[in-house]
Amino acid sequence: MNRHFTHLLNLPSVTVASWDATQDSLSFQLKVLAEGTNCPHCRNYTKELHQTRPIVVRDLPVGGKDVYLKLPRRQFYCRVCQCYITERLQFIDWRRKYTQRYEEKIYSQINHTNIEQISQQQHLGVEQIKNIFNYISQKRKKQHRLELSKKMFCYETYGKDNQKLSP
């Protein structure tokens, strides 16, 4: 049964270990599939687990129920550079309480309805909705600036005909 939930959630690098349902919500205990992580400082792969702290993040609702993901926040130790590394998961931005897809959904709903309605539907405070909106807005602006700078670099390097310009 957990295999079906893993497939249904469709999140990379995790599997459903167990689940629980209440009248209003579904909770999934997730297990990270990777044994270790790459150190961002020296690129060494380490499996040396230092500590694990559980976190709970919100995901897209299913069948009118709120969905919560219980995840292990794992911290590893790199013997090469002697640093502690907190594992990053692809579907949650750093220090966020929501999955990326949940935040994107909230952001897109704001274009079609008002914040108070979303707050009631999602059982979140108005300030939480505003914070999600502002976070995604800033994230999109950064992505847009990055794309523009890449285009400018290509144009300056290769010109409009995609031919390498001489120095």
Side-chain angles (χ1 to χ4, degrees):
M1 182 65 124
N2 291 345
R3 234 179 4 165
H4 297 296
F5 285 128
T6 299
H7 184 69
L8 178 71
L9 285 176
N10 193 29
L11 295 169
S13 307
V14 295
T15 186
V16 173
S18 63
W19 63 279
D20 186 39
T22 66
Q23 186 177 357
D24 302 326
S25 68
L26 294 169
S27 296
F28 295 97
Q29 179 71 44
L30 302 182
K31 179 184 177 208
V32 179
L33 296 175
E35 291 182 28
T37 190
N38 287 318
C39 176
H41 309 288
C42 70
R43 301 286 177 220
N44 177 56
Y45 186 79
T46 180
K47 294 182 186 179
E48 191 170 331
L49 188 61
H50 173 66
Q51 68 178 357
T52 302
R53 291 182 312 237
I55 62 169
V56 177
V57 295
R58 180 91 178 259
D59 197 15
L60 295 172
V62 174
K65 294 185 177 206
D66 296 338
V67 174
Y68 298 94
L69 308 175
K70 297 176 181 179
L71 296 155
R73 173 67 77 198
R74 303 186 305 174
Q75 190 176 55
F76 293 89
Y77 179 70
C78 177
R79 289 202 178 271
V80 174
C81 66
Q82 299 179 355
C83 290
Y84 293 96
I85 308 119
T86 301
E87 179 178 45
R88 303 236 179 158
L89 299 171
Q90 290 176 262
F91 55 93
I92 304 169
D93 288 339
W94 186 244
R95 295 184 186 248
R96 300 299 295 172
K97 298 177 184 178
Y98 314 99
T99 60
Q100 292 167 348
R101 63 188 181 192
Y102 182 74
E103 290 183 321
E104 288 289 341
K105 172 98 171 149
I106 296 293
Y107 183 85
S108 69
Q109 285 179 338
I110 290 175
N111 294 326
H112 301 94
T113 186
N114 66 44
I115 291 176
E116 288 78 17
Q117 286 176 321
I118 297 169
S119 173
Q120 289 175 355
Q121 290 170 351
Q122 298 297 323
H123 308 110
L124 292 173
V126 171
E127 284 303 312
Q128 290 172 297
I129 301 294
K130 288 179 182 178
N131 287 341
I132 290 171
F133 180 81
N134 292 335
Y135 176 75
I136 296 298
S137 294
Q138 292 301 316
K139 186 175 169 182
R140 288 185 176 192
K141 284 178 187 175
K142 280 183 188 177
Q143 288 171 340
H144 182 68
R145 284 194 300 265
L146 182 62
E147 289 170 9
L148 281 178
S149 66
K150 284 181 183 178
K151 285 180 184 177
M152 288 302 295
F153 173 77
C154 288
Y155 184 75
E156 290 169 358
T157 306
Y158 297 101
K160 63 182 176 182
D161 298 329
N162 238 6
Q163 303 274 332
K164 180 84 170 160
L165 300 175
S166 56

